[in-house]
Amino acid sequence: MRILLIEDDSVLGAAVRDQIVGDGHSVDWVMRIDAAGDAMASAAYDLILLDLMLPDGRGIVFLRALRAAGDVTPVIILTALDQVLDRIEGLTAGADDYLVKPFDLDELSARIGSVARRYSGNPNPIIRHGSLDIDIARRNVRRDGKPVQLTAREWALLEAFLARPGQLLSKAQLEEKLYDFDAEVESNTIEVHVSRLRKKLGADLIETERGLGYRLAQP
């Protein structure tokens, strides 16, 4: 997934960014609401992590404006505001989850996965696809009952396909899911990752539409 992190605390922001990247996602990190607006105008995000107290305004106002504009991007609030009324305000404004600082980074990873699964229409963390048993929450996959090791990028690519089964994804769309603004992406990077996934999980797992993109094959 490609995630937008809106957090003005440099220490916490760096820790969250590193955790997300370690999970195989790409992240664009901004510290202000105006920068968040610029980022969203330039990229499509799968999820937003939103602090509520930012240098140029309240995150809750940003969230309300987002929902009023019809934007349905999942949002998890990360905040030090821990009163019940604060949580109610955040959730009724359109947030999908609310996490109070300080929080455990592994819990954050679990909540990101949970929210993403609900939005994909399949809250079940276990997916059966042909000879594959894929545990999205625990990030492990078995092929014909045998465990297969995937890199973080390979996981991110597999998740992108699983979130949109049967849908054709262009090379540019896949690059956007896997890499942030600052990443240097080689022209054949997606082809390399797709090739490695096929070797590990099956040559027929991913179909190619020449010149158009890739899709997860029907099992």
Side-chain angles (χ1 to χ4, degrees):
M1 289 191 293
R2 185 165 182 170
I3 295 174
L4 177 62
L5 170 62
I6 311 171
E7 171 60 66
D8 68 321
D9 184 309
S10 58
V11 174
L12 177 61
V16 170
R17 177 198 58 199
D18 293 348
Q19 178 78 9
I20 295 171
V21 171
D23 287 340
H25 307 300
S26 65
V27 58
D28 294 313
W29 174 19
V30 299
M31 296 186 174
R32 297 172 58 89
I33 290 175
D34 54 5
D38 292 342
M40 294 192 68
S42 303
Y45 291 97
D46 299 296
L47 189 140
I48 297 171
L49 300 175
L50 175 65
D51 186 12
L52 291 184
M53 296 181 289
L54 295 159
D56 57 340
R58 299 180 63 214
I60 201 76
V61 175
F62 173 81
L63 175 57
R64 288 197 180 107
L66 204 68
R67 295 305 187 224
D71 194 306
V72 297
T73 307
V75 173
I76 299 177
I77 288 175
L78 309 178
T79 180
L81 300 175
D82 61 353
Q83 299 301 304
V84 171
L85 289 178
D86 297 321
R87 299 177 194 177
I88 292 173
E89 182 181 33
L91 294 170
T92 55
D96 299 90
D97 202 351
Y98 193 105
L99 195 54
V100 176
K101 303 173 183 175
F103 50 81
D104 186 275
L105 291 171
D106 289 334
E107 181 182 358
L108 173 63
S109 292
R111 288 177 183 251
I112 289 172
S114 175
V115 170
R117 290 196 300 276
R118 290 202 300 273
Y119 265 77
S120 72
N122 182 14
N124 188 347
I126 309 296
I127 296 175
R128 175 78 176 176
H129 187 89
S131 63
L132 304 177
D133 291 301
I134 305 163
D135 187 334
I136 296 294
R138 298 182 185 277
R139 289 179 166 264
N140 63 56
V141 57
R142 303 179 76 85
R143 181 182 180 188
D144 295 323
K146 298 178 181 177
V148 179
Q149 298 298 319
L150 300 183
T151 66
R153 291 297 185 201
E154 290 163 359
W155 260 113
L157 188 61
L158 179 61
E159 284 184 327
F161 285 120
L162 291 172
R164 297 162 183 79
Q167 180 178 330
L168 190 67
L169 297 173
S170 69
K171 181 178 171 181
Q173 286 175 309
L174 292 170
E175 288 177 347
E176 190 168 83
K177 299 291 182 191
L178 268 63
Y179 297 97
D180 56 44
F181 287 130
D182 298 326
E184 294 185 5
V185 184
E186 299 288 340
S187 61
N188 66 339
T189 296
I190 296 300
E191 288 90 338
V192 170
H193 287 317
V194 167
S195 175
R196 289 174 178 169
L197 268 185
R198 284 171 169 155
K199 286 181 180 177
K200 292 182 177 181
L201 302 182
D204 298 331
L205 178 68
I206 300 169
E207 296 176 342
T208 301
E209 289 285 344
R210 191 171 300 278
L212 297 175
Y214 305 91
R215 68 162 62 86
L216 190 69
Q218 293 294 320

